[in-house]
Amino acid sequence: QALKQLGWIVQLTSWCSLETFTMSLEEVRLLPACFAFWCCSLSIFAIFAVPFSFKSMEQGKYSVQLQWMTQDILDEVVTEPGVRFVGLGNFLIEFPSTFQTMYFISDQRGVQALGEVDAMYAPVIRGPIRARSADGLEMIVSVSFQWRLQPTALVNLYNILGETMYRDEFVRFARSAVIESCAQFAADKYFTNRTLITDKMFQVMQANFQKPELGLQMEITGLQLREVDLPDLFDDEIANTQEQMQEVEVAKAERQERIIAMERTKLVAQEKVREVLQGALGEAEKVRLANEAAVKQLKIFQTKQAQANSKILQQFVNDSQPFQRLFEIMEIRALNDHTANRMTVSM
């Protein structure tokens, strides 16, 4: 635009110069004055135009360039901070490049950066969302999550929703995702399995904010299901049910404790029986070994005795009266082996 304006000025100067040559000689002295005037005008214009043709962008922002003359957006998205030449009258429309937070809560205590930052980075805070469970119970849900714009979708986002309206539309998309995900679970699941509900809500939220075919691309993270407020009667029944379930768990724990105690007693009795059985087996083995040794010794003794008797009988095998002869020899042997001083009656 500055070059176009400069071209118009040059053409005007040329026209004025031609007109000057047609003037009379008395007016020829006006040419230096006109030339000096136009030079001063161009210098003053350049002094003011050049600085306003540069725009700067801070860290933590994206921007798109708006052409002042046509009111069109360029396709290029500026992602790097710094100073950039945009032309006279043109300017940059900025968007946050960092994660922003959206709250659906009733109590704003503890919300960070509230009223302390630029409006571009201020968290989006709305009231809790009214939804219904799969079994039709009305509930009030408090949710928070972090979101960040994708630079590839900024041009379409600006063309559709403008510079600031997108935040209100994002609130509508988020509320729709929460209502849709809440309707897929029964009311009791919000007390027993919130992790499953949070995961499903995160998936639906991502699907609502990831629609490249519509020019919408956002990164969602850190979704938290902060609070679920159900009707008072249902809360009372849930509290009663949880109390009864707790009693059941206590009874189960007591039963398990008794089972463990009885199993311990059973193990002790089994070990005692095993000990008695081992003792009886040891005693029986001892008796068996003793009997086996006695029998073996008796058999050896009887064998030796039989062998000795056999040898003695072989000495009298030809005698007519072998036993009488044996007794006589035994008597003679007893007298020979006996000591005389040990006799009680002298012979």
Side-chain angles (χ1 to χ4, degrees):
Q1 300 299 328
L3 293 176
K4 288 182 181 180
Q5 294 177 1
L6 182 60
W8 295 340
I9 294 173
V10 171
Q11 292 178 2
L12 182 60
T13 304
S14 300
W15 178 78
C16 291
S17 299
L18 293 175
E19 290 294 330
T20 302
F21 282 114
T22 61
M23 293 180 182
S24 62
L25 294 176
E26 290 80 5
E27 296 177 349
V28 172
R29 66 174 63 94
L30 295 177
L31 290 176
C34 291
F35 181 75
F37 171 76
W38 286 112
C39 289
C40 292
S41 299
L42 288 175
S43 299
I44 294 173
F45 176 78
I47 291 173
F48 285 97
V50 172
F52 286 102
S53 299
F54 288 89
K55 300 295 181 182
S56 64
M57 188 179 71
E58 300 177 356
Q59 187 75 28
K61 294 181 180 179
Y62 297 138
S63 63
V64 293
Q65 183 174 335
L66 176 66
Q67 298 296 106
W68 176 72
M69 291 293 294
T70 61
Q71 292 297 305
D72 292 332
I73 293 294
L74 299 183
D75 294 335
E76 180 185 3
V77 178
V78 182
T79 59
E80 297 296 330
V83 179
R84 182 182 180 87
F85 179 80
V86 297
L88 184 63
N90 304 328
F91 56 92
L92 298 176
I93 300 176
E94 297 177 336
F95 296 88
S97 65
T98 57
F99 277 104
Q100 309 299 308
T101 307
M102 185 177 296
Y103 295 94
F104 294 93
I105 55 176
S106 57
D107 188 0
Q108 299 184 8
R109 290 179 298 179
V111 177
Q112 298 180 354
L114 186 60
E116 300 177 358
V117 296
D118 186 6
M120 181 184 299
Y121 301 104
V124 180
I125 302 177
R126 297 293 187 272
I129 301 173
R130 189 180 298 274
R132 286 188 179 274
S133 63
D135 44 9
L137 283 180
E138 187 179 32
M139 62 181 68
I140 306 297
V141 182
S142 297
V143 179
S144 66
F145 64 93
Q146 286 74 47
W147 57 274
R148 182 171 66 181
L149 297 171
Q150 297 295 322
T152 55
L154 290 182
V155 174
N156 292 329
L157 180 65
Y158 179 81
N159 290 331
I160 297 174
L161 299 176
E163 184 177 358
T164 57
M165 291 179 57
Y166 68 90
R167 296 169 72 92
D168 293 333
E169 293 302 316
F170 288 172
V171 170
R172 185 171 63 87
F173 296 157
R175 184 178 285 113
S176 174
V178 172
I179 293 174
E180 179 183 350
S181 55
C182 287
Q184 300 183 23
F185 298 94
D188 61 308
K189 295 295 183 181
Y190 291 87
F191 292 90
T192 59
N193 200 345
R194 279 200 181 187
T195 302
L196 179 62
I197 299 174
T198 303
D199 293 341
K200 183 62 178 179
M201 193 174 294
F202 179 71
Q203 295 174 5
V204 177
M205 190 76 69
Q206 282 186 320
N208 278 15
F209 284 97
Q210 280 291 340
K211 296 181 178 179
E213 67 280 2
L214 301 179
L216 179 61
Q217 286 181 282
M218 280 180 53
E219 183 178 356
I220 305 296
T221 185
L223 188 143
Q224 296 180 356
L225 183 58
R226 304 169 69 95
E227 184 179 354
V228 178
D229 186 13
L230 290 163
D232 294 338
L233 292 177
F234 185 81
D235 287 339
D236 294 340
E237 289 300 324
I238 288 294
N240 185 27
T241 302
Q242 289 181 338
E243 182 179 356
Q244 294 179 0
M245 291 177 62
Q246 187 175 5
E247 292 179 356
V248 171
E249 293 298 327
V250 171
K252 289 182 178 179
E254 293 178 351
R255 184 182 66 178
Q256 188 66 24
E257 182 180 359
R258 293 178 181 176
I259 290 174
I260 294 174
M262 294 303 294
E263 288 180 350
R264 185 171 58 249
T265 304
K266 178 182 176 181
L267 290 175
V268 172
Q270 288 177 347
E271 291 297 326
K272 186 66 176 177
V273 170
R274 191 176 291 109
E275 180 183 355
V276 173
L277 182 60
Q278 292 295 330
L281 291 175
E283 187 67 24
E285 184 67 15
K286 178 181 176 181
V287 172
R288 187 186 69 80
L289 293 175
N291 291 338
E292 185 178 351
V295 170
K296 186 176 181 180
Q297 184 179 5
L298 181 60
K299 287 172 65 177
I300 293 173
F301 175 77
Q302 293 297 332
T303 301
K304 296 294 183 180
Q305 188 71 29
Q307 292 175 354
N309 292 333
S310 175
K311 290 179 180 182
I312 293 173
L313 290 175
Q314 288 177 2
Q315 298 294 327
F316 308 100
V317 66
N318 297 321
D319 200 328
S320 59
Q321 294 182 350
F323 292 102
Q324 182 64 32
R325 182 64 175 165
L326 175 61
F327 291 149
E328 290 177 356
I329 291 175
M330 290 176 62
E331 183 178 358
I332 294 171
R333 179 65 180 270
L335 292 175
N336 290 333
D337 291 339
H338 187 71
T339 306
N341 56 8
R342 293 185 179 181
M343 294 181 61
T344 57
V345 179
S346 299
M347 296 300 292

